[in-house]
Amino acid sequence: MKRKISIVGVPMWLGQTRYGTNLGPQGIRCAGLMERLKGVGQDVVDEGNLPIGITGCFRQSGENIKNVKTLVDSSEKLAAKVSNIIQEGRFPLVLGGDHSIAMGTLAGVAKHYKNVGVIWYDAHADMNTPETSPTGNIHGMPLAASMGLGHSALTNIGGYQGKVKPEHIVLIGARDVDKGEQQLIEEKHIKMYTANDVKRLGMEVVIAETVRYLSERCDGIHLSFDVDGIDPAEFPGVGTPVADGLSYKESLQAVRLLAAAENLISAEFVEVNPLLDKDDMTARLTVNLIGALFGETAKSKQVQRTDRKRSAEAI
């Protein structure tokens, strides 16, 4: 499906404590993102990176939450940017940055949709609040905040609460869920496919059930793809690796299946850390995933390589 795509980078690392995810957007770009999307006929514009602060107070006094002001300020900017992109009739493709940026993305998307569905592809549930978080890192809180749970500064991003309803969320690939998050998942009856569930059922079944489940309830689906959902043996450039994850092959199958979903309205890819990567493997494979989400196939990749070779020979 041909889309009008607007890329926006969010060079944020303060949702956690490992420097480097702020370099993720440029790392993904340098791995050939624009060329690949244009190669499959997409109408794509790169709107650059949001100008955001990269330093902040490490921890709020007396509260189990870090860098609140900087993250709220950046999330407000992202929410406005994403909202404008949708208003222009384009598809927001957001490049992170750590997963805290999802608060801004969802705040911008939910202004235009009454019932946003969210596919949270991640090793973690990211549903902590300051009361349940073992670290105070905000990249472990964006989904809870988007549901209206947690610190008021986070839940009110965009000027309103409740961007997404619990029954409109599907977790895929989870395998490192904190006790408070597990309790919330059970209380709110949030749909979850663990990494083991995916292995047992197969990715084709998981995606088919997910799309059907959300399509029956929602007027649009947002994909929030954290690359640490993939096993770190294949995706080493992440700050919070968790063993026994989904494979790259399974993940490629997932995005290819989602490419056919007509109600996919926005997407973000987060947590690429070039400083922890090996030979740019994580950035390059992330570009493969994004390309597949927008219709790239093995055949179209081969055509692009052939065209580049012919151009080089002509020069």
Side-chain angles (χ1 to χ4, degrees):
M1 181 184 297
K2 186 170 182 178
R3 300 181 187 270
K4 296 178 180 179
I5 304 166
S6 287
I7 298 171
V8 57
V10 190
M12 173 55 68
W13 74 279
L14 293 171
Q16 36 92 64
T17 56
R18 301 196 73 168
Y19 185 84
T21 51
N22 51 306
L23 307 175
Q26 200 57 28
I28 295 170
R29 290 185 177 101
C30 289
L33 179 62
M34 284 287 287
E35 181 182 28
R36 296 278 286 278
L37 292 178
K38 288 182 177 179
V40 289
Q42 298 293 353
D43 174 355
V44 56
V45 175
D46 189 344
E47 302 201 13
N49 286 351
L50 286 182
I52 60 175
I54 60 170
T55 59
C57 175
F58 185 69
R59 187 183 291 271
Q60 295 298 105
S61 177
E63 296 181 327
N64 184 34
I65 189 167
K66 303 170 186 173
N67 306 318
V68 176
K69 185 180 186 306
T70 302
L71 271 92
V72 169
D73 289 347
S74 64
S75 295
E76 293 287 1
K77 290 178 181 177
L78 180 56
K81 185 67 174 179
V82 168
S83 179
N84 287 340
I85 289 171
I86 293 174
Q87 200 162 359
E88 292 168 358
R90 302 186 65 84
F91 184 105
L93 173 58
V94 182
L95 308 178
D98 66 60
H99 216 160
S100 67
I101 71 169
M103 296 184 298
T105 306
L106 284 170
V109 171
K111 285 186 177 181
H112 300 271
Y113 295 88
K114 185 176 180 181
N115 292 299
V116 177
V118 176
I119 297 174
W120 200 264
Y121 199 101
D122 198 330
H124 311 90
D126 293 346
M127 290 185 186
N128 272 307
T129 65
E131 291 72 33
T132 66
S133 173
T135 64
N137 292 334
I138 293 179
H139 80 154
M141 305 181 188
L143 199 45
S146 297
M147 287 188 285
L149 304 172
H151 196 289
S152 60
L154 306 183
T155 61
N156 284 301
I157 289 168
Y160 67 107
Q161 288 195 2
K163 285 80 177 179
V164 58
K165 299 172 184 176
E167 62 269 26
H168 295 165
I169 296 169
V170 179
L171 307 175
I172 297 178
R175 56 194 183 277
D176 185 11
V177 179
D178 294 321
K179 184 178 179 180
E181 295 176 308
Q182 186 63 47
Q183 184 176 347
L184 182 62
I185 289 167
E186 293 171 3
E187 287 177 356
K188 300 293 186 181
H189 305 291
I190 294 170
K191 195 170 184 65
M192 177 171 67
Y193 295 95
T194 66
N196 286 336
D197 291 333
V198 175
K199 303 289 185 186
R200 177 173 54 85
L201 296 170
M203 187 61 80
E204 186 172 359
V205 170
V206 168
I207 295 299
E209 290 182 356
T210 295
V211 171
R212 182 168 58 250
Y213 173 84
L214 293 177
S215 297
E216 290 171 352
R217 295 163 173 80
C218 306
D219 49 358
I221 298 174
H222 169 70
L223 171 63
S224 193
F225 196 112
D226 186 328
V227 297
D228 72 23
I230 302 173
D231 195 279
E234 295 184 276
F235 268 56
V238 299
T240 49
V242 184
D244 300 321
L246 301 175
S247 71
Y248 166 65
K249 184 178 179 181
E250 288 169 324
S251 301
L252 195 60
Q253 182 184 23
V255 291
R256 282 179 173 155
L257 291 167
L258 288 172
E262 295 182 1
N263 51 352
L264 187 70
I265 54 173
S266 53
E268 61 195 345
F269 287 78
V270 303
E271 296 283 356
V272 172
N273 189 328
L275 298 183
L276 302 174
D277 210 357
K278 296 178 181 177
D279 301 320
D280 299 322
M281 180 190 304
T282 304
R284 289 187 287 104
L285 294 181
T286 298
V287 170
N288 287 354
L289 294 172
I290 297 173
L293 182 66
F294 293 103
E296 186 179 77
T297 63
K299 182 177 180 180
S300 63
K301 281 177 66 177
Q302 180 60 45
V303 169
Q304 288 188 56
R305 285 195 293 267
T306 302
D307 288 345
R308 286 197 297 270
K309 183 178 179 181
R310 287 173 178 169
S311 297
E313 289 173 346
I315 293 172

